[in-house]
Amino acid sequence: MGLMRSAFLAGSQSRWLRERAVKYRFVHKAVSRFMPGEDMAAALAAGSDLRGKGVGSVLTYLGENVKDLDEAAGVARHYLDILAREKEASLDAEISVKLTQLGLDLGPAACEANLTTLLERAAAGGTWVWIDMESSAYTVTTLDIFRRAKARFRNVGVCVQAYLRRTSKDLDSLIPLGGGLRLVKGAYREPPDLAFPRKSDVDANFAALAARLIGREGRQAGVRAIFGTHDPILIRRIEEMSRVESLKPADLEFQMLYGIRRDEQERLAAAGHRFRVLISYGDAWFPWYMRRLAERPANVLFVVKNVFTG
Ligand SMILES: Cc1cc2nc3c(=O)[nH]c(=O)nc-3n(C[C@H](O)[C@H](O)[C@H](O)COP(=O)(O)OP(=O)(O)OC[C@H]3O[C@@H](n4cnc5c(N)ncnc54)[C@H](O)[C@@H]3O)c2cc1C
Protein backbone atom coordinates (compact mmCIF):
# COMPACT_ATOMS: atom_id res chain seq x y z
CA MET A 1 0.00 0.00 0.00
CA GLY A 2 1.40 3.48 -0.90
CA LEU A 3 2.68 5.57 1.99
CA MET A 4 0.28 8.45 1.28
CA ARG A 5 -2.70 6.11 1.02
CA SER A 6 -1.70 4.44 4.25
CA ALA A 7 -1.28 7.81 6.02
CA PHE A 8 -4.71 9.08 4.92
CA LEU A 9 -6.42 5.84 5.93
CA ALA A 10 -4.73 6.00 9.35
CA GLY A 11 -5.79 9.69 9.55
CA SER A 12 -9.41 8.73 8.81
CA GLN A 13 -9.53 7.05 12.24
CA SER A 14 -7.86 9.88 14.14
CA ARG A 15 -10.18 11.80 16.47
CA TRP A 16 -7.47 14.40 17.10
CA LEU A 17 -7.19 15.19 13.40
CA ARG A 18 -10.96 15.18 12.87
CA GLU A 19 -11.61 17.65 15.70
CA ARG A 20 -9.10 20.08 14.18
CA ALA A 21 -9.75 19.62 10.43
CA VAL A 22 -13.50 20.26 10.60
CA LYS A 23 -12.89 23.77 12.04
CA TYR A 24 -11.18 25.10 8.91
CA ARG A 25 -13.17 26.82 6.17
CA PHE A 26 -10.68 25.83 3.48
CA VAL A 27 -11.16 22.15 4.35
CA HIS A 28 -14.95 22.57 4.02
CA LYS A 29 -14.42 24.21 0.62
CA ALA A 30 -12.23 21.31 -0.55
CA VAL A 31 -14.80 18.76 0.67
CA SER A 32 -17.54 20.52 -1.31
CA ARG A 33 -15.97 19.17 -4.49
CA PHE A 34 -17.28 15.72 -3.55
CA MET A 35 -20.41 16.71 -1.65
CA PRO A 36 -23.23 19.06 -2.73
CA GLY A 37 -23.75 20.18 0.89
CA GLU A 38 -24.19 18.97 4.44
CA ASP A 39 -28.00 18.89 4.59
CA MET A 40 -30.75 16.82 3.01
CA ALA A 41 -31.98 19.77 0.92
CA ALA A 42 -28.59 20.03 -0.83
CA ALA A 43 -28.58 16.28 -1.59
CA LEU A 44 -32.14 16.42 -2.96
CA ALA A 45 -31.28 19.45 -5.11
CA ALA A 46 -28.28 17.57 -6.56
CA GLY A 47 -30.51 14.53 -7.20
CA SER A 48 -33.01 16.79 -8.94
CA ASP A 49 -30.27 18.28 -11.21
CA LEU A 50 -29.19 14.77 -12.16
CA ARG A 51 -32.80 13.73 -12.79
CA GLY A 52 -33.02 16.67 -15.22
CA LYS A 53 -30.16 15.08 -17.17
CA GLY A 54 -31.85 11.65 -17.11
CA VAL A 55 -29.46 10.26 -14.46
CA GLY A 56 -30.63 8.55 -11.26
CA SER A 57 -28.98 8.89 -7.88
CA VAL A 58 -28.15 6.96 -4.74
CA LEU A 59 -28.26 8.98 -1.52
CA THR A 60 -26.00 8.35 1.45
CA TYR A 61 -26.21 10.21 4.76
CA LEU A 62 -22.65 10.26 6.05
CA GLY A 63 -21.77 8.68 9.37
CA GLU A 64 -20.44 5.43 10.80
CA ASN A 65 -19.84 3.58 14.08
CA VAL A 66 -22.64 5.23 16.04
CA LYS A 67 -22.34 4.58 19.75
CA ASP A 68 -25.91 4.78 20.93
CA LEU A 69 -29.22 3.22 19.97
CA ASP A 70 -31.14 6.52 19.91
CA GLU A 71 -28.64 7.91 17.43
CA ALA A 72 -29.01 4.79 15.22
CA ALA A 73 -32.82 5.11 15.37
CA GLY A 74 -32.43 8.79 14.43
CA VAL A 75 -30.40 7.79 11.35
CA ALA A 76 -33.17 5.35 10.33
CA ARG A 77 -35.76 8.15 10.73
CA HIS A 78 -33.59 10.42 8.59
CA TYR A 79 -33.55 7.79 5.81
CA LEU A 80 -37.35 7.34 6.10
CA ASP A 81 -37.70 11.08 5.65
CA ILE A 82 -35.45 11.11 2.60
CA LEU A 83 -37.33 8.18 1.05
CA ALA A 84 -40.57 10.15 1.48
CA ARG A 85 -39.10 13.34 0.01
CA GLU A 86 -37.38 11.73 -2.94
CA LYS A 87 -40.68 10.10 -3.82
CA GLU A 88 -42.58 13.39 -3.57
CA ALA A 89 -39.99 14.97 -5.87
CA SER A 90 -39.98 11.93 -8.27
CA LEU A 91 -36.19 11.80 -8.09
CA ASP A 92 -35.47 8.18 -9.07
CA ALA A 93 -33.23 7.87 -6.00
CA GLU A 94 -32.11 4.79 -4.10
CA ILE A 95 -30.38 4.85 -0.72
CA SER A 96 -27.11 3.33 0.47
CA VAL A 97 -26.57 2.72 4.18
CA LYS A 98 -23.70 1.79 6.47
CA LEU A 99 -24.70 -0.87 8.99
CA THR A 100 -22.47 0.65 11.71
CA GLN A 101 -24.48 3.87 11.30
CA LEU A 102 -27.66 1.85 11.90
CA GLY A 103 -26.23 0.48 15.17
CA LEU A 104 -24.21 -2.64 14.23
CA ASP A 105 -21.56 -1.99 16.91
CA LEU A 106 -24.35 -2.19 19.50
CA GLY A 107 -25.44 -5.65 18.30
CA PRO A 108 -27.01 -6.96 15.10
CA ALA A 109 -30.61 -7.01 16.39
CA ALA A 110 -31.16 -3.24 16.62
CA CYS A 111 -29.30 -2.69 13.37
CA GLU A 112 -31.43 -5.28 11.54
CA ALA A 113 -34.61 -3.79 12.94
CA ASN A 114 -33.59 -0.36 11.57
CA LEU A 115 -32.63 -1.88 8.23
CA THR A 116 -35.93 -3.78 7.98
CA THR A 117 -37.90 -0.55 8.51
CA LEU A 118 -36.01 1.03 5.61
CA LEU A 119 -36.46 -2.01 3.38
CA GLU A 120 -40.21 -2.08 4.01
CA ARG A 121 -40.57 1.62 3.19
CA ALA A 122 -38.33 1.40 0.14
CA ALA A 123 -40.24 -1.65 -1.17
CA ALA A 124 -43.53 0.22 -0.76
CA GLY A 125 -42.05 3.14 -2.75
CA GLY A 126 -40.59 0.86 -5.44
CA THR A 127 -36.96 1.69 -4.71
CA TRP A 128 -33.82 -0.08 -3.47
CA VAL A 129 -31.66 -0.12 -0.36
CA TRP A 130 -27.93 -0.77 -0.80
CA ILE A 131 -25.73 -1.94 2.05
CA ASP A 132 -22.24 -0.42 2.00
CA MET A 133 -19.32 -2.66 2.85
CA GLU A 134 -17.12 -1.28 5.62
CA SER A 135 -13.76 -2.58 6.91
CA SER A 136 -13.01 -6.33 7.04
CA ALA A 137 -13.99 -6.47 10.74
CA TYR A 138 -17.59 -6.24 9.45
CA THR A 139 -17.52 -8.37 6.29
CA VAL A 140 -18.98 -11.58 7.72
CA THR A 141 -21.72 -9.85 9.77
CA THR A 142 -22.63 -7.56 6.87
CA LEU A 143 -23.01 -10.48 4.47
CA ASP A 144 -25.06 -12.45 7.05
CA ILE A 145 -27.40 -9.49 7.51
CA PHE A 146 -27.66 -9.07 3.73
CA ARG A 147 -28.54 -12.79 3.31
CA ARG A 148 -31.32 -12.53 5.90
CA ALA A 149 -32.62 -9.30 4.32
CA LYS A 150 -32.53 -10.87 0.84
CA ALA A 151 -34.65 -13.81 2.10
CA ARG A 152 -37.46 -11.30 2.82
CA PHE A 153 -36.97 -8.48 0.31
CA ARG A 154 -36.23 -8.24 -3.41
CA ASN A 155 -35.06 -4.62 -3.34
CA VAL A 156 -31.76 -5.07 -1.48
CA GLY A 157 -28.15 -5.15 -2.59
CA VAL A 158 -24.76 -5.31 -0.90
CA CYS A 159 -21.36 -3.97 -1.82
CA VAL A 160 -18.47 -6.43 -2.37
CA GLN A 161 -14.81 -5.38 -2.46
CA ALA A 162 -12.39 -6.62 -5.13
CA TYR A 163 -9.34 -5.97 -2.90
CA LEU A 164 -10.42 -8.70 -0.46
CA ARG A 165 -8.99 -12.14 -1.20
CA ARG A 166 -12.20 -13.74 0.12
CA THR A 167 -14.61 -12.01 -2.28
CA SER A 168 -14.42 -14.61 -5.06
CA LYS A 169 -15.43 -17.31 -2.57
CA ASP A 170 -18.19 -15.06 -1.17
CA LEU A 171 -19.63 -14.70 -4.68
CA ASP A 172 -20.04 -18.50 -4.83
CA SER A 173 -22.88 -18.18 -2.33
CA LEU A 174 -24.01 -14.59 -3.04
CA ILE A 175 -24.62 -14.89 -6.79
CA PRO A 176 -27.23 -17.68 -6.45
CA LEU A 177 -29.29 -15.40 -4.15
CA GLY A 178 -29.90 -13.16 -7.15
CA GLY A 179 -29.99 -9.83 -5.28
CA GLY A 180 -28.07 -6.66 -5.95
CA LEU A 181 -24.28 -6.86 -5.92
CA ARG A 182 -22.24 -3.65 -6.22
CA LEU A 183 -18.61 -4.39 -7.03
CA VAL A 184 -16.02 -1.81 -5.90
CA LYS A 185 -12.25 -1.92 -5.37
CA GLY A 186 -12.43 -1.25 -1.59
CA ALA A 187 -11.59 1.86 0.44
CA TYR A 188 -10.25 0.78 3.86
CA ARG A 189 -6.86 -0.04 5.34
CA GLU A 190 -6.51 -3.83 5.30
CA PRO A 191 -3.61 -6.19 6.05
CA PRO A 192 -1.98 -8.08 3.12
CA ASP A 193 -3.22 -11.48 4.29
CA LEU A 194 -6.81 -10.21 3.78
CA ALA A 195 -6.48 -7.78 0.86
CA PHE A 196 -4.27 -7.67 -2.23
CA PRO A 197 -1.66 -4.99 -1.52
CA ARG A 198 -0.87 -4.37 -5.22
CA LYS A 199 -3.23 -2.23 -7.31
CA SER A 200 -2.62 -4.45 -10.36
CA ASP A 201 -3.89 -7.51 -8.42
CA VAL A 202 -6.97 -5.59 -7.21
CA ASP A 203 -7.73 -4.51 -10.80
CA ALA A 204 -7.25 -8.07 -12.12
CA ASN A 205 -9.57 -9.43 -9.42
CA PHE A 206 -12.15 -6.71 -10.21
CA ALA A 207 -12.15 -7.78 -13.87
CA ALA A 208 -12.45 -11.49 -12.96
CA LEU A 209 -15.35 -10.85 -10.54
CA ALA A 210 -17.06 -8.54 -13.06
CA ALA A 211 -16.88 -11.31 -15.68
CA ARG A 212 -18.77 -13.64 -13.31
CA LEU A 213 -21.41 -11.01 -12.54
CA ILE A 214 -22.20 -10.18 -16.16
CA GLY A 215 -21.58 -13.68 -17.46
CA ARG A 216 -24.09 -16.51 -17.52
CA GLU A 217 -23.58 -17.25 -13.77
CA GLY A 218 -24.84 -13.81 -12.68
CA ARG A 219 -27.48 -13.43 -15.38
CA GLN A 220 -29.14 -16.79 -14.78
CA ALA A 221 -29.39 -16.02 -11.05
CA GLY A 222 -31.00 -12.63 -11.86
CA VAL A 223 -28.28 -10.60 -10.14
CA ARG A 224 -28.52 -6.82 -10.47
CA ALA A 225 -24.81 -6.15 -10.95
CA ILE A 226 -23.42 -2.66 -10.38
CA PHE A 227 -19.88 -1.64 -11.21
CA GLY A 228 -18.87 1.10 -8.78
CA THR A 229 -15.65 2.42 -10.27
CA HIS A 230 -14.19 5.48 -12.01
CA ASP A 231 -11.38 3.48 -13.60
CA PRO A 232 -11.64 4.05 -17.38
CA ILE A 233 -9.53 0.98 -18.24
CA LEU A 234 -11.70 -1.35 -16.16
CA ILE A 235 -14.88 0.27 -17.47
CA ARG A 236 -13.79 -0.34 -21.07
CA ARG A 237 -12.89 -3.95 -20.22
CA ILE A 238 -16.37 -4.47 -18.76
CA GLU A 239 -18.00 -2.89 -21.81
CA GLU A 240 -15.94 -5.21 -24.01
CA MET A 241 -16.94 -8.27 -21.94
CA SER A 242 -20.59 -7.30 -22.30
CA ARG A 243 -20.23 -7.10 -26.10
CA VAL A 244 -18.70 -10.59 -26.13
CA GLU A 245 -21.71 -11.78 -24.10
CA SER A 246 -24.00 -10.03 -26.67
CA LEU A 247 -25.50 -7.77 -24.01
CA LYS A 248 -27.15 -4.46 -24.85
CA PRO A 249 -25.69 -1.19 -23.41
CA ALA A 250 -28.69 -0.93 -21.05
CA ASP A 251 -27.82 -4.34 -19.57
CA LEU A 252 -24.76 -2.79 -17.92
CA GLU A 253 -25.09 -0.63 -14.80
CA PHE A 254 -22.43 1.69 -13.40
CA GLN A 255 -22.33 3.98 -10.39
CA MET A 256 -19.83 6.70 -9.59
CA LEU A 257 -19.29 9.11 -6.72
CA TYR A 258 -20.55 12.69 -6.98
CA GLY A 259 -17.87 15.02 -8.33
CA ILE A 260 -15.42 12.34 -9.55
CA ARG A 261 -14.60 11.87 -13.25
CA ARG A 262 -17.54 13.89 -14.57
CA ASP A 263 -16.23 13.34 -18.13
CA GLU A 264 -16.56 9.57 -17.74
CA GLN A 265 -19.96 9.98 -16.05
CA GLU A 266 -21.31 11.84 -19.07
CA ARG A 267 -19.82 9.31 -21.48
CA LEU A 268 -21.43 6.35 -19.66
CA ALA A 269 -24.86 7.99 -19.55
CA ALA A 270 -24.58 8.90 -23.26
CA ALA A 271 -23.49 5.34 -24.15
CA GLY A 272 -26.91 4.10 -23.03
CA HIS A 273 -25.78 2.23 -19.92
CA ARG A 274 -27.82 2.39 -16.76
CA PHE A 275 -26.00 4.87 -14.58
CA ARG A 276 -26.40 6.46 -11.13
CA VAL A 277 -24.39 8.96 -9.14
CA LEU A 278 -23.87 8.26 -5.45
CA ILE A 279 -24.42 11.51 -3.54
CA SER A 280 -22.99 11.66 -0.01
CA TYR A 281 -24.03 14.43 2.35
CA GLY A 282 -24.08 15.24 6.07
CA ASP A 283 -21.76 16.80 8.61
CA ALA A 284 -19.94 13.56 9.57
CA TRP A 285 -17.78 13.72 6.48
CA PHE A 286 -14.27 13.53 7.96
CA PRO A 287 -13.42 9.75 7.71
CA TRP A 288 -15.22 9.52 4.35
CA TYR A 289 -13.25 12.50 2.97
CA MET A 290 -9.95 11.01 4.20
CA ARG A 291 -10.78 7.86 2.21
CA ARG A 292 -11.34 10.03 -0.91
CA LEU A 293 -7.91 11.63 -0.36
CA ALA A 294 -6.37 8.17 0.07
CA GLU A 295 -7.78 7.09 -3.29
CA ARG A 296 -6.10 9.99 -5.01
CA PRO A 297 -3.48 11.86 -2.97
CA ALA A 298 -3.40 14.51 -5.74
CA ASN A 299 -6.73 15.69 -4.24
CA VAL A 300 -4.66 17.28 -1.49
CA LEU A 301 -3.78 19.95 -4.06
CA PHE A 302 -7.42 21.07 -3.93
CA VAL A 303 -7.18 21.42 -0.16
CA VAL A 304 -3.98 23.47 -0.51
CA LYS A 305 -5.49 25.61 -3.28
CA ASN A 306 -8.43 26.48 -1.01
CA VAL A 307 -6.05 27.73 1.70
CA PHE A 308 -5.02 30.49 -0.71
CA THR A 309 -8.36 31.21 -2.36
CA GLY A 310 -10.11 31.59 1.02
C1 LIG B 1 -20.93 3.89 -6.22
C2 LIG B 1 -19.78 3.57 -5.33
C3 LIG B 1 -20.02 2.97 -4.10
C4 LIG B 1 -18.93 2.64 -3.26
N1 LIG B 1 -19.17 1.96 -2.10
C5 LIG B 1 -18.13 1.50 -1.36
C6 LIG B 1 -18.34 0.67 -0.22
O1 LIG B 1 -19.48 0.37 0.18
N2 LIG B 1 -17.24 0.19 0.43
C7 LIG B 1 -15.95 0.50 0.04
O2 LIG B 1 -15.00 0.00 0.64
N3 LIG B 1 -15.74 1.33 -1.01
C8 LIG B 1 -16.78 1.84 -1.72
N4 LIG B 1 -16.54 2.65 -2.80
C9 LIG B 1 -15.18 3.21 -3.03
C10 LIG B 1 -14.31 2.25 -3.81
O3 LIG B 1 -13.95 1.14 -3.01
C11 LIG B 1 -13.00 2.94 -4.28
O4 LIG B 1 -12.25 3.33 -3.17
C12 LIG B 1 -13.21 4.15 -5.17
O5 LIG B 1 -14.28 3.97 -6.07
C13 LIG B 1 -11.92 4.46 -6.00
O6 LIG B 1 -11.63 3.37 -6.81
P1 LIG B 1 -11.83 3.34 -8.41
O7 LIG B 1 -12.53 2.05 -8.73
O8 LIG B 1 -12.50 4.54 -8.87
O9 LIG B 1 -10.37 3.16 -9.01
P2 LIG B 1 -9.02 3.96 -8.82
O10 LIG B 1 -7.98 3.15 -9.49
O11 LIG B 1 -8.82 4.34 -7.39
O12 LIG B 1 -9.29 5.29 -9.64
C14 LIG B 1 -9.45 5.30 -11.05
C15 LIG B 1 -9.51 6.74 -11.50
O13 LIG B 1 -10.69 7.35 -10.99
C16 LIG B 1 -10.42 8.67 -10.53
N5 LIG B 1 -10.59 8.71 -9.06
C17 LIG B 1 -10.76 7.66 -8.22
N6 LIG B 1 -10.94 8.07 -6.94
C18 LIG B 1 -10.84 9.43 -7.01
C19 LIG B 1 -10.92 10.45 -6.01
N7 LIG B 1 -11.13 10.18 -4.72
N8 LIG B 1 -10.79 11.73 -6.43
C20 LIG B 1 -10.59 12.05 -7.73
N9 LIG B 1 -10.51 11.12 -8.71
C21 LIG B 1 -10.62 9.84 -8.35
C22 LIG B 1 -8.99 8.97 -10.94
O14 LIG B 1 -9.03 9.54 -12.22
C23 LIG B 1 -8.37 7.59 -11.00
O15 LIG B 1 -7.25 7.53 -11.83
C24 LIG B 1 -17.61 2.99 -3.65
C25 LIG B 1 -17.37 3.59 -4.89
C26 LIG B 1 -18.43 3.88 -5.72
C27 LIG B 1 -18.15 4.53 -7.04
Side-chain angles (χ1 to χ4, degrees):
M1 192 192 294
L3 266 183
M4 289 283 267
R5 175 167 148 78
S6 197
F8 283 120
L9 291 180
S12 73
Q13 290 159 335
S14 161
R15 201 165 134 191
W16 183 89
L17 198 59
R18 184 185 67 218
E19 282 167 1
R20 276 149 192 84
V22 299
K23 291 188 186 143
Y24 291 103
R25 213 169 89 83
F26 69 87
V27 180
H28 283 253
K29 272 191 79 183
V31 173
S32 68
R33 186 168 167 244
F34 299 114
M35 191 173 79
E38 292 192 0
D39 57 12
M40 193 190 285
L44 290 169
S48 171
D49 277 356
L50 287 164
R51 185 75 182 131
K53 295 175 190 154
V55 173
S57 45
V58 181
L59 301 173
T60 279
Y61 177 47
L62 290 169
E64 46 205 87
N65 297 107
V66 305
K67 297 279 180 270
D68 112 26
L69 287 176
D70 287 344
E71 195 183 342
V75 171
R77 281 196 301 277
H78 180 98
Y79 274 117
L80 290 177
D81 196 14
I82 201 142
L83 282 171
R85 290 184 191 211
E86 74 82 13
K87 186 132 188 69
E88 266 166 35
S90 308
L91 281 195
D92 184 21
E94 301 179 343
I95 56 171
S96 199
V97 300
K98 282 194 172 31
L99 293 185
T100 68
Q101 196 189 11
L102 291 178
L104 185 57
D105 289 339
L106 306 160
C111 170
E112 279 190 80
N114 284 330
L115 179 68
T116 301
T117 314
L118 301 183
L119 283 163
E120 281 166 351
R121 186 69 63 84
T127 190
W128 277 59
V129 177
W130 291 93
I131 302 174
D132 285 3
M133 187 56 79
E134 300 178 63
S135 72
S136 59
Y138 298 103
T139 312
V140 171
T141 327
T142 301
L143 294 181
D144 284 349
I145 292 177
F146 166 71
R147 287 189 180 95
R148 287 196 287 274
K150 181 67 194 73
R152 293 185 55 196
F153 297 93
R154 287 184 58 241
N155 58 320
V156 60
V158 71
C159 178
V160 288
Q161 297 156 322
Y163 67 6
L164 288 189
R165 296 178 189 275
R166 58 173 293 151
T167 298
S168 178
K169 181 101 186 43
D170 287 333
L171 286 195
D172 293 347
S173 61
L174 290 171
I175 288 178
L177 300 179
L181 293 174
R182 180 176 75 207
L183 179 62
V184 303
K185 289 191 187 179
Y188 294 81
R189 190 159 62 135
E190 300 293 356
D193 57 322
L194 298 183
F196 299 107
R198 285 192 355 217
K199 184 174 160 26
S200 56
D201 290 332
V202 177
D203 292 354
N205 198 39
F206 194 113
L209 301 172
R212 289 179 63 185
L213 292 175
I214 57 176
R216 195 181 313 160
E217 190 184 358
R219 290 206 311 279
Q220 279 183 349
V223 168
R224 178 177 169 200
I226 306 287
F227 304 104
T229 180
H230 317 89
D231 186 332
I233 298 173
L234 268 177
I235 292 171
R236 278 177 180 72
R237 272 182 87 174
I238 293 166
E239 288 178 305
E240 185 50 39
M241 284 176 205
S242 79
R243 278 190 283 274
V244 172
E245 295 279 341
S246 307
L247 302 183
K248 296 194 263 318
D251 293 332
L252 274 188
E253 185 163 0
F254 294 94
Q255 290 178 5
M256 290 191 186
L257 304 181
Y258 180 89
I260 298 185
R261 294 299 308 248
R262 291 185 190 197
D263 52 341
E264 192 67 12
Q265 299 196 2
E266 282 169 19
R267 187 189 74 78
L268 287 177
H273 301 307
R274 279 178 291 152
F275 177 65
R276 284 177 188 271
V277 173
L278 191 146
I279 301 169
S280 301
Y281 68 97
D283 56 11
W285 44 260
F286 179 77
W288 162 87
Y289 183 58
M290 286 290 116
R291 292 195 289 273
R292 302 293 78 83
L293 292 182
E295 282 155 8
R296 194 159 179 263
N299 286 336
V300 175
L301 291 178
F302 286 92
V303 185
V304 176
K305 202 173 126 209
N306 283 306
V307 176
F308 298 108
T309 56

